[in-house]
Amino acid sequence: MDVQILTFIIVGASFLLYIGIAVWARAGSTNEFYVAGGGVHPIANGMATAADWMSAASFISMAGLISFMGYDGAVYLLGWTGGYVLLALCLAPYLRKFGKFTVPDFIGDRYYSQTARTVAVICAIFVCFTYVAGQMRGVGVVFSRFLEVDIVSGVVIGMAIVFFYTVLGGMKGITYTQVAQYCVLIFAYLVPTIFISMIVTGHILPQTGFGATLADGSGVYMLDKLDGLSLELGFNEYTTGNKSMIDVFCITAALMVGTAGLPHVIVRFFTVPKVRDARYSAGWALAFIAILYTTAPSLASFGRVNMIETINGTDQMGTNYSEAPSWITNWEKTGLITWDDKNNDGKMFYSGDERNEMDVDRDIMVMANPEIANLPAWVIALVAAGGVAAALSTSAGLLLVISTSVSHDLLKRNLMPDITDRKELFYARLAAGVAICIAGYFGINPPGFVAQVVAFAFGLAASSFFPAIIMGIFMKRMNDKGAIAGMLAGITFTTAYIIYFKFVNPAANVPENWLFEISPEGIGTIGMLVNFAVALVVLKFTGDSPEEIQQLVEDIRYPKGSGEASAH
């Protein structure tokens, strides 16, 4: 049975599973639509949170970034992992104790301002649409290769699936669908990596194979071989960084605090019955996330060696295009690999200097890895199902945030306070439908590759939400005017910087033109500092928050009573 038929079978079966779960767990009230009724078990919620958080950027693009960037790509690994720890320890329990299940709802009530709520809604929608563009791009990458359809058709198929279980099931349907999607994506990630680790190093655990010697008996360490290949072919040394230290720091920090400010992750801590369960589910989610994140560097390194040797041959002299392996011709059809025979010798050659004849999109690395390593067809089809699961799980969570921001925060809590529960549910589903259409457009016309687009979303979240949430919890004096001014200043600065270097003047997007040599992916850290600075200056000239708000914040951080207070 060939790869395409197996892909149709495995991906189709996963779609039927997701739709079946959505029908079984369909939401019948706004409480179920927004927070799954608040009755999800901590382990299930931890698994759903992991799937929600490990998007197409984690599954499809992160290992590709590490594979192509080497040491510099580790900023994505460190930032996203550290950000989840920050969220779990510093924010989630307090937000859960506050009892508001959306970020705009928390900001609106904590800063006693409908204006603050509206600004937060706008920021949430902006961040989520930026993020979901990367997910839809991931869906297009998977479908364009494995279902042999164009990217437009692939995105439309993904839109239809997400529309069904998001609009029908809401958070309740999404939660249990994401449990299934986590199982699919983690199995799809581990199986080929374990296979390749055994082939390359003889180690069954990729995490140990990563630092082991090659299985060919040469005694050469795998990373030493990769460093040698990289230098020989004109690339930067794989284990040595090329970015400036300040850019590495800023990208890592932006990803960390951006994670802690992402509304689709925060809302997951309201789907469990108690504050204590929120802490437990955070721990479970970190364990589930660690399985993939400790595997990614291994997959990236194995894939890099195999790709170079497949294209250039083991002697690094090039391979005749007429004898090109099937994975190259398969991915050429998608436009994600191109070959330009510069010297007209009929041979492909891949390098980091003027000799290079191959343009390889980094987003294909995980998806193409099983084909490059000549693994069985069912493994290739399984990876396709995993990539789709990763993209769809996060897309659903993001679209639900957009939906609730419009129906609950903007309409129910602001413009139309008297609407019924039934009417609010209708508007939530309508907003989700509109959001899916807009997300599909961004998937077809993405502003960059998957992880880059997602990095922009994290930067926007870092510069807007994170300071407002942190000061809302740990600085009881912070008032509405300071929070509003800070959010507007932070997100405006960050957005302007990204738009200028990525769209207005991309030719200037080089380190010598950046502010303090900080790239657009890392500028969210500076945006965050701008947010804090503006908020504190405005606070100084406008006075402290009201006494009752300060007491409310005090109660969140230091609940009355002993153990009982933290259990509810």
Side-chain angles (χ1 to χ4, degrees), residues 144-160:
S144 64
R145 162 64 187 94
F146 293 104
L147 300 186
E148 295 190 3
V149 298
D150 57 58
I151 285 184
V152 174
S153 301
V155 170
V156 170
I157 294 170
M159 287 168 59

Side-chain angles (χ1 to χ4, degrees), residues 111-113 116 478-488 534-536 538-539 541-544:
Y111 293 111
Y112 51 95
S113 167
M478 180 52 63
N479 62 21
D480 58 333
K481 298 177 183 62
I484 294 169
M487 283 192 291
L488 289 174
V534 170
L536 292 171
V538 172
L539 172 65
F541 290 98
T542 55
D544 296 349

Side-chain angles (χ1 to χ4, degrees), residues 159-198:
M159 287 168 59
I161 299 296
V162 174
F163 178 85
F164 189 86
Y165 69 76
T166 302
V167 172
L168 178 65
M171 179 58 80
K172 187 177 179 182
I174 287 172
T175 296
Y176 294 106
T177 301
Q178 285 173 336
V179 171
Q181 286 167 334
Y182 175 81
C183 296
V184 172
L185 75 86
I186 202 66
F187 190 63
Y189 205 84
L190 291 177
V191 168
T193 312
I194 290 170
F195 266 117
I196 296 169
S197 179
M198 293 177 67

Side-chain angles (χ1 to χ4, degrees), residues 94-95 97-98 106 551-559:
Y94 299 110
L95 291 174
K97 183 67 180 176
F98 194 85
F106 167 79
Q551 186 58 53
L552 175 64
V553 176
E554 190 81 10
D555 291 342
I556 296 170
R557 291 175 53 199
Y558 306 105

